[in-house]
Amino acid sequence: MECLFCKIVGGDIPAAKVFEDEAAIAFHDLHPQAPVHLLIVPRRHIASLAHMGGADEDKALLGRLLDAARRIAAQQGLAHGYRAVVNTGEDGGQTVSHLHLHLLGGRAMEWPPG
Ligand code: 5GP
Ligand code: ZN
C-alpha cells in the first residue's frame, strides 16, 4: 500500500486526528497554512475528485465530506468563516493522490488564490 493517506487512515502513520466517523477522518495538516488547517479524508481510497463517479454512493460520500467540514468548523470555533478547498489534479495543485478536503480558518483568507 503506497498511499500516504491510506496509511494514516489505517493507523500505520500517526496523525493528529480531530474527527472520525465511518466514512472519513480529519487531522491536522503537517504544514499548516492557517491557524486552523485540517484535512478531511475519506476512508475509501479515491485518487481525486475527478475520480469520483456519479453513483449515489459517491454523491453521498461527497455530501458527507462537506457536512463533516461544516461540523468540524463549528467544533473548532470558526464562527467568522473558513475556507473548504479540494485541490484536484496537476493544475489544481494536488500533491497527495487520495481525495481530501482542506479546511482552513482562524484568519481572513485572500482571493484570488495563487
Ligand atoms: P494537496 O497538496 O494534495 O492538496 O494537499 C496535501 C496536504 O497534505 C498538504 O497540505 C501537506 O502539507 C499535507 N501532508 C503531506 N504529508 C503529510 C503527512 O504525512 N501528514 C499530514 N498530517 N499532512 C501531510
Ligand atoms: Zn489512499
Side-chain angles (χ1 to χ4, degrees), residues 4-5 8 13-16 27-33 37 39 85-88 92-98 100 102:
L4 174 66
F5 287 174
I8 290 177
I13 292 178
F27 51 87
H28 289 276
D29 196 293
L30 200 56
H31 304 290
Q33 303 301 316
H37 185 175
L39 300 172
V85 178
V86 181
N87 295 328
T88 304
Q94 184 178 3
T95 60
V96 176
S97 295
H98 180 130
H100 54 281
H102 295 258

Side-chain angles (χ1 to χ4, degrees), residues 3 5-6 45 98:
C3 174
F5 287 174
C6 281
H45 179 85
H98 180 130

Side-chain angles (χ1 to χ4, degrees), residues 15 26 28 36 52 59-60 62 82 87 89 93 99 102 107 109 111:
H28 289 276
V36 176
M52 292 297 277
K59 289 192 279 191
L62 291 175
Y82 50 87
N87 295 328
L99 176 64
H102 295 258
R107 66 168 171 83
M109 299 294 152
W111 195 264

Side-chain angles (χ1 to χ4, degrees), residues 55-79:
D56 286 349
E57 188 190 341
D58 285 11
K59 289 192 279 191
L61 178 59
L62 291 175
R64 289 186 72 132
L65 296 176
L66 269 184
D67 187 58
R70 174 187 66 77
R71 285 189 284 152
I72 295 164
Q75 185 187 87
Q76 297 282 321
L78 301 178

